[in-house]
Amino acid sequence: MIPVRVTFIGIPSTVWDSVPGDRPFAALALDAEGAQRRIRKGVNERLERRRFSQLCQYVESAALDLVEASRGESIDNRRFASASLTNVRSMSVDDSRDEPFGSAYLGVLEIRTVEEQESLNNSRLTCTILPPGQSLEEYISLLSDNGRLACLDLPVKNRELAIRVVKQVCEFLRRCTREHCGVVQTVSALLG
């Protein structure tokens, strides 16, 4: 199994509404939500899936660049020059040699997605772009409720780990909610 890292990036609403460049995260999130809605309705499904995938890839890349810029590690800060980046937050859960946190988190999502495909298709649990406010609160609720239930479906040895990961992620997301942040979630393979 390839080890993974799941990164959550908390972006303050002032930054969410103003960067990157001429299409801020807020507008891109609305575009992605519209593409999802059209996919569910079966309207130009192939084109909308491609559009949704491209939007998510762009938003995830821009969010990772934003984290680097907030740490002063970015080579090109021009796309974020107008924003105060001091309150950008990030948290990662990844697979280590001893404990596969990243895989445990994805496993919880996968179990619930398979078991409740129809209801989850209409929810935001599988999204990677979560605007500040109501949608983030809904995600936390779904994740904590479904996460608890999903953990019961896991083998005993993985159950504790999955419960710890879900709690850790929900805690970070609640902090983002209190600080009026949107969240972008990325998944990457840890190679080498």
Side-chain angles (χ1 to χ4, degrees), residues 17-178:
D17 293 334
S18 62
V19 296
D22 61 341
R23 295 282 297 158
F25 288 110
L28 295 167
L30 287 174
D31 291 347
E33 195 173 300
Q36 274 189 315
R37 189 174 45 255
R38 289 186 291 278
I39 291 167
R40 281 194 302 268
K41 289 181 178 180
V43 177
N44 289 330
E45 198 169 336
R46 186 169 165 229
L47 175 67
E48 293 301 330
R49 285 189 188 283
R50 188 174 329 140
R51 179 178 290 143
F52 180 74
S53 177
Q54 289 171 340
L55 279 164
C56 288
Q57 287 173 359
Y58 176 75
V59 169
E60 291 169 17
S61 174
L64 289 170
D65 289 347
L66 185 64
V67 170
E68 286 181 3
S70 72
R71 294 179 182 159
E73 300 170 3
S74 180
I75 296 170
D76 181 12
N77 284 349
R78 287 177 292 190
R79 60 196 282 209
F80 307 117
S82 65
S84 170
L85 305 180
T86 55
N87 292 326
V88 173
R89 310 245 180 269
S90 67
M91 179 198 90
S92 294
V93 289
D94 44 29
D95 295 345
S96 68
R97 189 170 305 172
D98 300 325
E99 298 185 293
F101 287 110
S103 294
Y105 174 74
L106 294 178
V108 167
L109 292 184
E110 181 180 10
I111 288 169
R112 298 321 297 174
T113 302
V114 168
E115 289 182 1
E116 300 174 9
Q117 190 67 43
E118 197 56 41
S119 65
L120 289 180
N121 275 343
N122 295 320
S123 77
R124 299 191 57 82
L125 192 55
T126 56
C127 290
T128 60
I129 306 167
L130 300 161
Q134 185 64 32
S135 63
L136 185 55
E137 291 173 19
E138 288 171 6
Y139 185 87
I140 294 167
S141 177
L142 284 168
L143 180 60
S144 61
D145 294 345
N146 286 320
R148 239 180 281 114
L149 293 172
C151 291
L152 299 176
D153 296 337
L154 294 172
V156 174
K157 68 177 186 173
N158 298 341
R159 195 174 297 157
E160 265 186 54
L161 177 64
I163 290 169
R164 283 189 0 226
V165 171
V166 168
K167 284 182 181 177
Q168 183 182 3
V169 170
C170 285
E171 185 178 306
F172 176 80
L173 296 175
R174 284 186 187 100
R175 179 178 177 192
C176 288
T177 299
R178 285 190 305 272

